[in-house]
Amino acid sequence: MTTSPSWRNPDPRSPYHLLIVGAGPAGLMAAQVAVRRGARVALIDRNLLGGPCLNKGSVLSKTIIRTSRLYREMRDAEHFGAQVPAGIAVDFPAVMDRVRRIRARLSSRDSAERLAAMGIDVYLGEARFSGPGSVTVGGHVLRFKKALVATGARPMSPPIAGLEETGYLTYESVFDLTERPSRLLVIGGGPIGCELAQAFARLGSRVTLVQDEPMFLGHEERDAAQLLSDALARDGIEIHLDTQTTRVRVAGNDRLADLVNDGMKRTVAVDRILVVVGTAPNVQGLGLDAAGIVCDPVGGIRVDDFLRTSNRRIFAAGDVCAENRFPHIESVAARIVVTNALFLGRQRLSAEAIPWCTFTDPEIAHVGMYVTEARQKGIPVKTFTVLMHEVDRAVTDGEEDGFVKLYVREGTGKILGATVVASHAGDLINEISLAMSAGLDLCALAKVNQPYPTQSQAIKRAARAYVGSRPRSVRTWLTRQWLSL
Ligand SMILES: Cc1cc2nc3c(=O)[nH]c(=O)nc-3n(C[C@H](O)[C@H](O)[C@H](O)COP(=O)(O)OP(=O)(O)OC[C@H]3O[C@@H](n4cnc5c(N)ncnc54)[C@H](O)[C@@H]3O)c2cc1C
């Protein structure tokens, strides 16, 4: 955030059509959509505008991932017929300097001054509901017709003996490092843990990655998680799956961690410990009781499919929610909340095709249903798969790991979902999301004209496999008769 230190909160123009607590991606986007549609909007944040996404999360991790990918490519140069000098050194302070420069550049978009110029009343300070239709901030009482709670979440710390005394990094502090840890223990094999473990390994840290479940990325499909596991191992990461970290402590210059798998204990010595085991919702001190909002302090605020809380005038979106917690949901949430709150809309979150991606190498992206989910709902599923090594552009680019899998309702071309594992899966998934949002089926995807060669041909080929699998139509029969005349 580039807001000047002399920022003065405006005089309230209550009642606000929409009052938003939390200026992370969800809150910022909703404020901008609502003000564009003519609403009087108040936006409150106690900290940096942009939230952790900009200041501590997505943007910073993607920046460091880019540099780490470059180092990996330099080390792999020979595979591409190129030569680089031996012994490439990583200038870690320079890497982190780039991270800070990019954060500063992007954050200027979300300055309080810029938002105020758009017509949004920006308040900096701790917000607290004082009743079902009012919030206090910095000595002001702001009244609202509708409100949105988008206060996000904070890193969760697991009950590991000795953790507090030993000291550890979270995603809130890891990007402040100025010195690269030579040996890094990452506890947590979810998206953030895997992304950062791989990035640090490629930047030269000796990384040990511990996950308490049998696979990484618990929510993803087994073959996708396995490909990721293989890729992390190739990057030299020491992987411990199905393993508990039971105790950590300091011994001289080392931090020691006891790892227990199947009753067997092993102790590893590292320099720093990074804990990324999930998040806890930011609900404390918000006065949710006064507003009549039902909340589980561990899970978060309960919302329905319309993103309404138990107080029908108050909505919630993003990481603070117990359900419907999609990482990059901000634009969808903003549209749904603004339409439902201010314009009597009935937009449902479940009607949206919302893709997500883990930005490891290869990336793992998904949209719609998983096969298991479809089966649980009694929907018969057929899967069409194309492996990336069958796609010319993936071969030319040396990016052959992965696959595109399209799931359809058996006997139809209706797309239920898709998983893409590929170097650019986060981009590839968009074509499938577009098709799902527009109600297009696999026949439509099979007909898309694409430049050759591109990696998205994997999608077209999977769609064409579906077309080829359909029973021959009367038209095909007639064509054959015609040709045989
Ligand atoms: C390392 C990392 C990498 C990530 N990578 C990705 C990615 O690649 N793609 C992706 O989609 N997601 C990613 N995420 C997740 C993404 O950052 C979050 O899902 C997103 O920030 C959630 O947005 P939000 O608006 O719900 O909340 P937040 O961004 O958490 O914002 C909440 C805001 O509310 C404010 N606030 C809280 N309480 C109060 C109060 N009482 N009064 C006033 N203000 C308050 C906070 O100061 C904060 O600014 C990543 C996260 C991390 C940590």
Side-chain angles (χ1 to χ4, degrees):
M1 189 217 23
T2 54
T3 304
S4 71
S6 59
W7 177 257
R8 224 183 116 254
N9 286 339
D11 293 329
R13 294 187 289 150
S14 296
Y16 286 98
H17 295 122
L18 186 64
L19 179 144
I20 301 165
V21 185
L28 276 173
M29 189 71 80
Q32 293 174 49
V33 173
V35 88
R36 270 203 301 271
R37 294 185 71 176
R40 197 158 55 242
V41 178
L43 177 65
I44 309 173
D45 203 295
R46 63 182 175 191
N47 215 325
L48 300 176
L49 303 190
C53 179
L54 179 62
N55 299 298
K56 292 167 187 155
S58 332
V59 167
L60 309 193
S61 67
K62 265 72 265 175
T63 310
I64 208 172
I65 284 169
R66 177 66 189 94
T67 312
S68 71
R69 200 181 259 223
L70 180 64
Y71 274 105
R72 170 68 202 242
E73 283 172 359
M74 286 197 282
R75 287 189 199 106
D76 273 359
E78 271 184 25
H79 291 299
F80 295 89
Q83 299 239 317
V84 287
I88 309 158
V90 176
D91 183 347
F92 191 75
V95 176
M96 299 314 275
D97 208 40
R98 176 171 179 268
V99 170
R100 283 185 283 276
R101 275 200 322 270
I102 287 184
R103 170 169 52 189
R105 181 172 153 198
L106 296 181
S107 68
S108 61
R109 293 189 312 210
D110 298 325
S111 72
E113 286 85 357
R114 194 175 151 266
L115 296 168
M118 292 168 71
I120 298 167
D121 283 1
V122 178
Y123 295 86
L124 299 185
E126 191 86 27
R128 187 179 172 83
F129 286 93
S130 46
S134 61
V135 161
T136 58
V137 56
H140 291 300
V141 178
L142 312 185
R143 284 177 299 110
F144 60 81
K145 293 187 171 177
K146 298 287 168 57
L148 166 64
V149 183
T151 48
R154 60 190 187 285
M156 207 156 71
S157 84
I160 296 172
L163 193 59
E164 295 304 325
E165 301 80 351
T166 307
Y168 61 100
L169 299 162
T170 67
Y171 64 75
E172 294 197 327
S173 50
V174 69
F175 298 106
D176 294 331
L177 283 176
T178 49
E179 210 176 299
R180 179 188 63 192
S182 299
R183 299 163 302 170
L184 176 68
L185 171 67
V186 179
I187 302 176
I192 299 174
C194 291
E195 286 181 10
L196 290 178
Q198 190 177 45
F200 274 90
R202 289 175 167 198
L203 291 173
S205 296
R206 238 175 41 233
V207 176
T208 305
L209 176 56
V210 181
Q211 160 80 327
D212 59 359
E213 291 175 14
M215 299 295 289
F216 292 122
L217 308 182
H219 57 286
E220 295 296 351
E221 276 155 5
R222 189 162 260 281
D223 44 4
Q226 186 57 53
L227 272 172
L228 175 60
S229 209
D230 297 345
L232 295 177
R234 274 200 304 276
D235 277 309
I237 296 172
E238 188 180 309
I239 291 170
H240 295 267
L241 291 166
D242 225 350
T243 299
Q244 309 289 330
T245 310
T246 53
R247 188 165 82 99
V248 295
R249 61 203 174 276
V250 178
N253 289 331
D254 292 335
R255 288 179 166 90
L256 303 180
D258 292 341
L259 310 181
V260 178
N261 166 264
D262 208 12
M264 299 278 290
K265 188 174 93 179
R266 211 183 133 198
T267 302
V268 293
V270 294
D271 301 303
R272 303 301 294 258
I273 299 172
L274 169 63
V275 176
V276 267
V277 295
T279 56
N282 287 327
V283 290
Q284 71 290 13
L286 268 175
L288 296 181
D289 285 348
I293 298 174
V294 173
C295 171
D296 166 2
V298 180
I301 296 179
R302 304 215 73 94
V303 286
D304 63 13
D305 206 14
F306 304 102
L307 295 177
R308 290 179 309 197
T309 67
S310 49
N311 176 338
R312 289 297 187 243
R313 289 167 64 187
I314 303 178
F315 293 69
D319 284 5
V320 76
C321 294
E323 305 90 0
N324 302 328
R325 242 168 123 165
F326 292 99
H328 63 295
I329 200 167
E330 64 271 21
S331 56
V332 184
R335 179 165 41 78
I336 292 178
V337 168
V338 172
T339 308
N340 292 354
L342 302 181
F343 300 101
L344 303 175
R346 299 284 294 167
Q347 291 199 4
R348 288 175 179 273
L349 192 64
S350 58
E352 302 284 337
I354 301 175
W356 57 86
C357 184
T358 299
F359 293 93
T360 42
D361 181 15
E363 297 175 352
I364 298 182
H366 182 87
V367 63
M369 280 188 210
Y370 290 98
V371 173
T372 43
E373 205 181 332
R375 291 206 176 116
Q376 273 161 15
K377 292 183 174 162
I379 303 172
V381 189
K382 179 118 177 99
T383 304
F384 293 91
T385 306
V386 168
L387 304 176
M388 291 311 288
H389 69 73
E390 297 165 356
V391 179
D392 292 359
R393 185 56 188 270
V395 175
T396 61
D397 288 351
E399 297 176 340
E400 298 178 48
D401 282 344
F403 54 77
V404 166
K405 276 190 183 184
L406 300 178
Y407 314 121
V408 291
R409 179 184 273 273
E410 195 159 16
T412 74
K414 184 181 163 49
I415 308 168
L416 297 171
T419 296
V420 179
V421 180
S423 286
H424 310 283
D427 290 318
L428 294 184
I429 200 82
N430 293 325
E431 188 174 331
I432 305 164
S433 304
L434 173 66
M436 291 178 74
S437 303
L440 302 175
D441 67 2
L442 282 198
C443 292
L445 280 183
K447 283 187 204 145
V448 173
N449 293 323
Q450 297 174 325
Y452 172 85
T454 57
Q455 295 201 11
S456 57
Q457 280 174 329
I459 297 169
K460 183 166 177 163
R461 287 179 61 169
R464 279 171 50 185
Y466 157 72
V467 173
S469 74
R470 287 187 307 174
R472 296 229 163 86
S473 64
V474 176
R475 195 166 150 196
T476 314
W477 183 82
L478 283 173
T479 310
R480 291 199 167 189
Q481 297 305 309
W482 168 257
L483 291 173
S484 61
L485 286 179

